[in-house]
């Protein structure tokens, strides 16, 4: 899996780490995009780039994406994620709180990929602040036990973002996911499927939706290349589904430091036209 491959890139034993994306809808209106509160599958596994041994890892970085999401003009989203990950045996526990700035349609809430459009004619605004707090738990079974890697995960997005600024829906969202992977030398294909259950903000009709991702990682010594195709079903009848390509390069720069560069290209109206970012993981 993508996160697993990056761990191996750090010269560690492989683990199965991945989470799918989940979008959040505007308090007032809007496409929603996932990368701020809950990243796309590719970005999520990139941010999962912690060390395979137990203990605490801190992750931060910067993410920029741009697209019109069917609103008629571009919206630019800047996200600075702040994450902690604790690993104990085959369990991992995560907490993520992003800061985000959205310049564009007030129909956009959160940041990232995958869209829900409620009012494509919403006016242009600029707003910023802390996003929603996401808590996650995962359980990874290594490849040597089953003949393939298996990872099960669940996340809860808590409504800590400002609803008045359209930085969050004011409701709790839940996502569950499963991922499998299998190594063939330096190449490891993976497939991920998830199901997201958004909250029910007053005035909006949101529905549960599926997510899926498939791709592979290639080990280059202690570094790794990761590529995937990510799909996210829209949670609103007013928007199309999100389809995008994700690519990343990850490498250790010190014994307890891992650096990741990544990019995305949107293939549908529900995704950002493009996204760029970097992350750094520090083990304590």
């Amino acid at each position: 899996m993508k996160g697993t491959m990056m761990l191996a890139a750090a010269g560690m034993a492989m683990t199965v780490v991945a989470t799918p994306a989940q979008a959040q809808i505007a308090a007032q209106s809007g496409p929603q995009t996932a990368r701020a509160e809950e990243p796309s599958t590719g970005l999520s596994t990139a941010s999962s780039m912690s060390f395979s041994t137990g203990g605490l890892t801190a992750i931060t970085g910067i993410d920029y994406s741009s697209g019109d999401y069917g609103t008629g003009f571009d919206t630019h989203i800047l996200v600075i994620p702040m994450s902690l990950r604790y690993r104990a045996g085959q369990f991992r526990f995560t907490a993520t709180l992003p800061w985000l700035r959205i310049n564009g349609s007030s129909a956009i809430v959160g940041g990232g990929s995958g869209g829900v459009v409620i009012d494509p004619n919403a006016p242009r605004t600029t707003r910023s602040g802390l996003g929603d707090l996401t808590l996650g738990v995962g359980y990874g079974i290594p490849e040597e036990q089953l003949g393939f890697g298996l990872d099960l995960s669940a996340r809860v997005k808590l409504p800590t973002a400002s609803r008045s600024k359209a930085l969050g829906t004011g409701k709790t969202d839940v996502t569950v996911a499963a991922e499998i992977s299998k190594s063939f030398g330096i190449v490891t294909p993976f497939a991920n499927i998830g199901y997201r259950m958004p909250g029910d903000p007053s005035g909006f009709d949101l529905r549960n939706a599926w997510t899926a991702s498939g791709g592979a990682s290639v080990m280059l010594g202690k570094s790794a290349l990761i590529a995937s195709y990510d799909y996210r079903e829209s949670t609103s009848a007013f928007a199309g589904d999100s389809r995008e390509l994700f690519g990343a390069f990850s490498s250790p720069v010190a014994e307890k430091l891992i650096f990741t560069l990544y990019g995305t290209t949107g293939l549908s109206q529900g995704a950002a036209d493009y996204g760029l970012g970097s992350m750094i993981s520090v083990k304590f």
Side-chain angles (χ1 to χ4, degrees):
M1 319 170 40
K2 288 173 279 188
T4 300
M5 301 5 138
M6 289 201 232
L7 293 176
M12 307 290 180
M14 266 198 188
T15 60
V16 181
V17 183
T19 49
Q22 174 187 5
Q24 348 225 330
I25 273 297
Q28 319 152 286
S29 56
Q32 136 192 350
T33 52
R35 208 163 356 247
E37 289 83 0
E38 305 217 44
S40 69
T41 305
L43 179 58
S44 180
T45 47
S47 55
S48 299
M49 170 76 204
S50 58
F51 301 77
S52 60
T53 54
L56 183 66
T57 300
I59 303 167
T60 190
I62 188 168
D63 179 282
Y64 175 82
S65 60
S66 178
D68 64 17
Y69 307 97
T71 63
F73 53 88
D74 287 344
T75 292
H76 312 288
I77 302 173
L78 178 68
V79 181
I80 299 176
M82 297 167 283
S83 299
L84 290 175
R85 174 170 286 101
Y86 182 77
R87 185 181 301 276
Q90 293 177 204
F91 284 94
R92 70 182 182 279
F93 305 91
T94 60
T96 300
L97 183 65
W99 179 90
L100 54 153
R101 181 180 187 273
I102 304 173
N103 180 338
S105 172
S106 60
I108 306 274
V109 98
S113 341
V116 176
V117 179
I118 294 177
D119 179 9
N121 299 312
R124 190 177 190 93
T125 62
T126 298
R127 55 205 187 277
S128 62
L130 291 175
D132 289 319
L133 173 65
T134 299
L135 302 177
V137 60
Y139 183 78
I141 302 176
E143 193 172 308
E144 54 268 23
Q145 292 187 21
L146 298 176
F148 59 90
L150 174 64
D151 185 80
L152 305 174
S153 64
R155 285 200 316 278
V156 177
K157 187 256 333 177
L158 301 176
T160 58
S162 170
R163 176 165 179 166
S164 63
K165 292 183 179 180
L167 296 177
T169 64
K171 297 295 181 178
T172 298
D173 299 345
V174 177
T175 299
V176 294
E179 183 166 308
I180 61 172
S181 62
K182 174 68 175 178
S183 298
F184 299 93
I186 64 171
V187 179
T188 303
F190 57 85
N192 177 291
I193 187 168
Y195 191 64
R196 50 195 170 112
M197 295 160 277
D200 187 23
S202 59
F204 303 112
D205 183 18
L206 303 185
R207 62 194 181 196
N208 297 347
W210 292 95
T211 67
S213 179
S217 80
V218 179
M219 298 306 306
L220 303 173
K222 293 183 177 181
S223 301
L225 288 174
I226 299 172
S228 71
Y229 170 86
D230 295 337
Y231 166 80
R232 285 171 299 281
E233 185 181 17
S234 172
T235 57
S236 167
F238 293 92
D241 299 338
S242 171
R243 298 174 178 86
E244 70 178 13
L245 297 177
F246 170 88
F249 173 77
S250 186
S251 182
V253 294
E255 181 182 357
K256 296 186 177 182
L257 200 65
I258 298 171
F259 184 69
T260 302
L261 289 173
Y262 63 86
T264 64
T265 298
L267 303 178
S268 69
Q269 192 177 69
D273 293 339
Y274 67 91
L276 299 169
S278 63
M279 290 183 302
I280 191 161
S281 302
V282 181
K283 172 120 189 229
F284 293 98

